C-alpha cells in the first residue's frame, strides 16, 4: 500500500458513520417519544392491563 492509498483510506474511514442523519436538535425526538409514552399508557389502561 502506498502513502497516497493509505491517506485516501483514512479519509474514507473518518467519513464513514453509522446511524441516521444528525439534525443537531433533539426536540422533535423527545416530543415524539413522550407522545408514544402517553398513547401507550392510554392503550394499556383502556385494555385493562393496569
Amino acid at each position: 500500500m502506498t502513502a497516497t492509498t493509505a491517506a485516501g483510506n483514512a479519509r474514507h474511514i473518518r467519513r464513514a458513520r453509522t446511524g441516521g442523519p444528525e439534525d443537531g436538535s433533539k426536540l422533535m425526538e423527545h416530543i415524539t417519544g413522550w407522545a408514544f409514552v402517553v398513547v401507550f399508557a392510554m392503550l394499556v389502561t383502556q385494555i385493562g392491563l393496569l
Side-chain angles (χ1 to χ4, degrees):
M1 180 183 318
T2 64
T4 306
T5 307
N9 286 340
R11 182 182 52 208
H12 289 295
I13 290 171
R14 269 183 294 185
R15 290 189 322 179
R17 298 185 317 153
T18 58
E22 288 293 326
D23 57 354
S25 174
K26 302 271 183 180
L27 180 62
M28 193 62 185
E29 184 177 346
H30 285 279
I31 291 171
T32 306
W34 279 108
F36 174 73
V37 168
V38 169
V39 169
F40 184 72
M42 290 189 311
L43 177 68
V44 168
T45 55
Q46 286 291 321
I47 292 176
L49 299 175
L50 187 65

